Amino acid sequence: MIKLTYAEENYLKAIYELTEAGKKSTSTNDISAWMKIKPASVSDMLRKLGEKTVIDYRKYYGVHMTEEGKKLALRIIRKHRLWEVFLVEKLKFSWDEVAEVADELEHVQSPTLIQRLDEYLGFPKFDPHGDPIPDEFGDVRSRPRIALNEIELNGSGQIVAVKDSSAAFLRYLDKVGAYIGARIKVLEKVEFDGSIEILVDNKKTIFMSKDVAGNILVMQ
Amino acid sequence: MIKLTYAEENYLKAIYELTEAGKKSTSTNDISAWMKIKPASVSDMLRKLGEKTVIDYRKYYGVHMTEEGKKLALRIIRKHRLWEVFLVEKLKFSWDEVAEVADELEHVQSPTLIQRLDEYLGFPKFDPHGDPIPDEFGDVRSRPRIALNEIELNGSGQIVAVKDSSAAFLRYLDKVGAYIGARIKVLEKVEFDGSIEILVDNKKTIFMSKDVAGNILVMQ
DNA sequence: ATTATTTTTTAGTGTTGGCTAAAATCCTAT
DNA sequence: ATAGGATTTTAGCCAACACTAAAAAATAAT
């Protein structure tokens, strides 16, 4: 059984997120920028994670995750997302406050705890940001999604997730009235700057820039 | 603002528990035995905690807690006990399983989290072992309690806490049907070995040794 | 009161995980 | 093909916290 330290878990989660987002492999610098840890420190840790066979590491080349590593990463992500659901659903945190706390809670070691928490929350399939929660075997039921700015004129769908989970962005979405689960329809697409106008839940219209729309994921 | 590391928090909690139980001061060896960390390591940590002014440390003499230290220790104990309530009440852990998990959860740093958790649990005043939960200012409403083996013949009361919280002891209590909140009456006291017979909730009689009775606290 | 024993502290070591500075390697542009 | 720049790695350092072995202080026993 592979045992990871707190720091190693954080690296593995980061690597998983980067390789999922930007496909196959990730560079030392990417990880460094993402985790705000100097490249030299990252190099050192990659060597260690390579020795533990959770990543595939060849010097000067990018990092790939091994099957073992993916399993462990998904276990951490599962914990993180379940705690996020708990914080929002039960403790009434707003969705922009949960990341930090969940980053700590995700490291608590107790399989029983996670299993019971899952049960207590009613086996949720998605976290408050719309991201899927892996099951205990690491299986993920992801929904086909498309960025909001890529929906055609008069196209409709439902907001299911956000790409950018920064507190600032989430607060902005709250303010304008966009939320996970909202049903939307694209009323106008401005050629000039790519901004769009959408109808939310058939009652409110919102203008948003191309940047904002590009960070909102919709299921059609 | 004094910042403590994970390890420092553990030491402080241990010292608080030892000085509360055995009164005033505690020795390096006591802490070493309690925490299962070698005396040499304890010495080193005491020096550090002394520098941070959370304990009063003079070489070769015992350790006393400072007011600052007590406040911090009570904050940790508050977190620990609130999580224990959560685990038992919401996640249906049995009371002998919670200590380990709560030992990890107690270190999560987020005042908001604890405040919301407290609220969510309905501001409980006692944890599943009957120990009082300090409020956010560190105030503790403790109940006057007496060990069960010191109750006089035909005396009665209610089980409010246990001294020994080891999983083995708690499982034993569960098996015989003693639990926090049970109303008891002492039916017999055996002079010879100090064992007693008690009536639980007016329906079940239990025999227990002096040792066991001495670890059960009763409110009269 | 002086020795013996126990307790506590100091000194030195190892591991984890960060850092800076310098070296090595890779990539790109001429 | 090679010089310049960017990226990555190595080397050496530091802090936190554990350990063992040895020294120092306190306590107990003769």
Side-chain angles (χ1 to χ4, degrees), chain A:
Chain A
M1 193 57 203
I2 296 171
K3 282 258 175 183
L4 298 182
T5 66
Y6 193 106
E8 285 168 347
E9 284 195 349
N10 277 333
Y11 273 94
L12 200 60
K13 195 183 81 166
I15 296 166
Y16 183 87
E17 281 162 355
L18 288 171
T19 52
E20 280 306 278
K23 324 287 181 259
K24 44 197 175 188
S25 89
T26 311
S27 73
T28 300
N29 257 6
D30 288 348
I31 299 167
S32 165
W34 180 253
M35 298 186 73
K36 287 172 188 149
I37 289 174
K38 292 285 134 72
S41 309
V42 174
S43 266
D44 210 52
M45 183 57 95
L46 293 182
R47 187 185 45 69
K48 282 197 279 186
L49 290 175
E51 282 167 12
K52 289 200 175 182
T53 71
V54 294
I55 60 171
D56 200 345
Y57 174 57
R58 271 162 53 231
K59 286 186 210 170
Y60 295 105
Y61 286 73
V63 193
H64 297 254
M65 308 224 39
T66 63
E67 283 310 307
E68 194 64 35
K70 275 183 200 165
K71 269 209 296 203
L72 289 171
L74 281 166
R75 205 170 297 167
I76 301 161
I77 286 166
R78 168 174 161 78
K79 290 198 276 180
H80 182 96
R81 293 182 181 165
L82 281 173
W83 279 117
E84 285 200 343
V85 172
F86 170 72
L87 294 173
V88 168
E89 298 264 307
K90 304 294 186 182
L91 298 196
K92 307 301 172 199
F93 276 67
S94 61
W95 68 342
D96 59 308
E97 298 173 316
V98 296
E100 259 188 308
V101 182
D103 275 341
E104 290 194 59
L105 287 165
E106 76 191 9
H107 299 290
V108 174
Q109 302 288 6
S110 168
T112 315
L113 174 62
I114 294 309
Q115 181 221 304
R116 299 258 170 103
L117 182 64
D118 192 21
E119 192 181 331
Y120 181 60
L121 298 173
F123 307 105
K125 295 287 168 286
F126 299 92
D127 78 7
H129 307 100
D131 293 311
I133 298 172
D135 68 21
E136 49 192 320
F137 309 108
D139 288 336
V140 180
R141 310 253 158 275
S142 59
R143 298 179 275 203
R145 332 138 132 186
I146 183 173
L148 178 49
N149 65 325
E150 280 162 11
I151 306 257
E152 69 282 12
L153 185 61
N154 292 319
S156 64
Q158 193 175 9
I159 298 180
V160 292
V162 290
K163 276 189 194 170
D164 177 352
S165 291
S166 69
F169 185 62
L170 296 177
R171 267 198 303 275
Y172 168 77
L173 290 186
D174 265 347
K175 211 172 73 179
V176 300
Y179 61 96
I180 302 280
R183 310 214 137 264
I184 58 94
K185 184 179 176 188
V186 177
L187 301 180
E188 180 150 15
K189 300 188 72 157
V190 179
E191 294 279 332
F192 173 63
D193 61 356
S195 66
I196 62 173
E197 186 185 9
I198 61 170
L199 176 68
V200 177
D201 289 335
N202 286 315
K203 51 174 190 267
K204 191 177 171 190
T205 63
I206 309 179
F207 272 104
M208 55 174 66
S209 71
K210 188 183 175 184
D211 265 12
V212 169
N215 276 304
I216 295 177
L217 296 173
V218 174
M219 185 180 71
Q220 283 185 301

Side-chain angles (χ1 to χ4, degrees), chain B residues 62-103:
Chain B
V63 193
H64 298 254
M65 309 224 38
T66 63
E67 283 310 308
E68 194 64 35
K70 275 183 200 164
K71 268 208 295 203
L72 289 172
L74 281 165
R75 205 169 298 168
I76 301 161
I77 287 166
R78 168 174 161 77
K79 289 197 277 179
H80 182 97
R81 292 183 181 164
L82 281 173
W83 279 118
E84 285 200 343
V85 173
F86 170 72
L87 294 172
V88 169
E89 298 263 308
K90 304 293 186 184
L91 298 196
K92 308 300 173 201
F93 276 67
S94 60
W95 69 342
D96 59 307
E97 298 173 318
V98 297
E100 258 188 307
V101 182
D103 275 340

